[in-house]
Structures are given as structure tokens and as C-alpha cells.
Amino acid sequence: MKITLVYDNTAFRKNLQADWGFSALVEVKATPKILFDTGGDGKILLSNMKKLGIDSTSIDEVFISHPHFDHTGGLSEFLKVNERAKVFIPPSFQGLENREIIVITGPTKIHKNVFSTGELDGIEQSMGVETNKGIVLIVGCSHPYMGHILDAARKFGKIYGIIGGMHGFSEFELFKDLKLICPTHCTQHKAELKKLYPQKYIEGGAGRTIEI
């Protein structure tokens, strides 16, 4: 699998624009291309995609983690240029009409090797990708308790790594068995995670790609 960070608070590639929000393109063999969240601004999202050589019309699906603007703000602009993508949303996300929408109400396999944890604590769903190394978990902001997120994902198998926003998460021992940690967007304790898990830590930022 390959994950490309398209939208983040920082820019890994200097020619990309950083902005408050998160979006990542998830590419898995024999699986539709999935855009995880859409950042806060559609123009920035599409501009970064273009500079990364990503054809926005080639994306098959959009997975929305939760309805906050910094994860959904780019959705309308994206859907103007990609009229065929289906959209997976949690029950808390409202206002999307005239699209192929799939509301995910609980832990759900959306493809053979891709699943949703379902909306946890009434606010957010996360996405997991099953690889030969284990599950790679992609999180938007981690508003739910991290233990709940990890427990929900473990129902599908052993977790290999986690990528995404982690807000004020500080129970670092929960990550002791993970092999990959890439904190992005709203994560407040990046320095602590890097110091505690230097061999597992990967710097995020728009333009960073991770292949597993």
C-alpha cells in the first residue's frame, strides 16, 4: 500500500502549501483509490494534488472521518471535478446531497482489505488497511479516546502502524507494540512521540509518502 499526505499543517515538500487540516490518498493493490478526508480548503487540496501528480478524477472514493471543517472543507471543490466518487460518511455528517453516499453505522469492511472502525464516541470513524505486516490505521483527529480507536481496529487484526492527527493524545504506552507512528495535523505531542519512539517515528507533512 501507498499513502500520500496531500494536506497537512506542515509541508514535507517545499512546493506544496501547508494549511490547517488533513487529507491523504490511500492506494492499495486491487482496491479503489480512496481519499481520506479533504482538508479545509478545496483550492489548496486540488493544487497540492496537481503538484503531486495526482489525477483527482482517478480517485474512486472519499472517506470522511468526521464533520469538522478542517477535514471536510475541500469536499465540495473536489466533488465538482470528480463527479463519480462515492463518499463514505459517519452518521454525524449531514448536508451532502445528490451523491452516492454510504453512511457507515458501525465497524464495517468497505473492501476486502479496507475497513472502518465505525463512528466511535459519537464523533469520528477511522480507517484501517490490512497489509501483510498488519493493519495500518489512518485517523483524522483522534477525538475518541485512543484506546477505543485501537480496540476497534484490533477486532480486524494486529495493528502495525498509525498515521494521522492525534490531538492531545499522551498515553504513549498504547503505541508500544506499533512499528510505525506518523503523527500529523493536530497532534500536540509530536516531539514526545519522536523522543520515545525514534525508530518508529515518521515525520508527516504534505507531500510525504509512506509505502508498506
Side-chain angles (χ1 to χ4, degrees), residues 35 37-38 61-67 71-72 75 79 85-97 99-106 108 110 116 118-119 123-126:
L35 185 66
D37 287 342
T38 62
E61 300 170 352
V62 180
F63 183 102
I64 297 295
S65 64
H66 64 296
H71 297 260
T72 64
L75 182 59
L79 293 179
K86 66 173 66 172
V87 185
F88 294 95
I89 62 172
S92 58
F93 185 55
Q94 304 292 327
L96 193 60
E97 300 176 352
R99 304 293 309 185
E100 185 178 355
I101 302 166
I102 298 93
V103 180
I104 299 178
T105 57
T108 305
I110 60 176
S116 166
E119 188 175 72
I123 180 62
E124 184 177 342
Q125 64 176 344
S126 300

Side-chain angles (χ1 to χ4, degrees), residues 16-17 23 25-26 30 49 66 73 81 85 91 94 104 128 135 142 144 151 162 176 182 193 197 199:
L16 301 182
Q17 185 171 343
S23 179
L25 179 64
V26 181
M49 278 187 180
H66 64 296
V81 299
Q94 304 292 327
I104 299 178
I135 290 168
S142 303
D151 286 345
I162 187 169
K176 68 182 187 300
C182 180
L193 284 165
Y197 299 116
Q199 304 304 316

Side-chain angles (χ1 to χ4, degrees), residues 72-199:
T72 64
L75 182 59
S76 61
E77 287 293 321
F78 174 80
L79 293 179
K80 287 178 183 177
V81 299
N82 185 324
E83 297 181 349
R84 69 181 185 85
K86 66 173 66 172
V87 185
F88 294 95
I89 62 172
S92 58
F93 185 55
Q94 304 292 327
L96 193 60
E97 300 176 352
N98 302 319
R99 304 293 309 185
E100 185 178 355
I101 302 166
I102 298 93
V103 180
I104 299 178
T105 57
T108 305
K109 278 247 186 180
I110 60 176
H111 297 293
K112 181 180 178 181
N113 49 4
V114 180
F115 66 85
S116 166
T117 61
E119 188 175 72
L120 302 174
D121 298 352
I123 180 62
E124 184 177 342
Q125 64 176 344
S126 300
M127 187 171 79
V129 179
E130 299 170 6
T131 75
N132 57 8
K133 293 183 178 180
I135 290 168
V136 177
L137 186 59
I138 306 166
V139 293
C141 271
S142 303
H143 288 295
Y145 170 57
M146 183 61 76
H148 294 168
I149 297 173
L150 296 175
D151 286 345
R154 285 193 185 101
K155 293 176 182 177
F156 293 88
K158 184 178 180 180
I159 302 173
Y160 173 78
I162 187 169
I163 300 168
M166 302 174 194
H167 258 303
F169 165 69
S170 60
E171 294 180 88
F172 306 128
E173 69 279 0
L174 292 177
F175 286 175
K176 68 182 187 300
D177 295 327
L178 303 188
K179 304 301 182 185
L180 181 153
I181 302 167
C182 180
T184 68
H185 179 38
C186 56
T187 309
Q188 297 172 19
H189 300 299
K190 290 182 182 179
E192 291 90 337
L193 284 165
K194 186 175 184 178
K195 182 178 180 180
L196 189 60
Y197 299 116
Q199 304 304 316

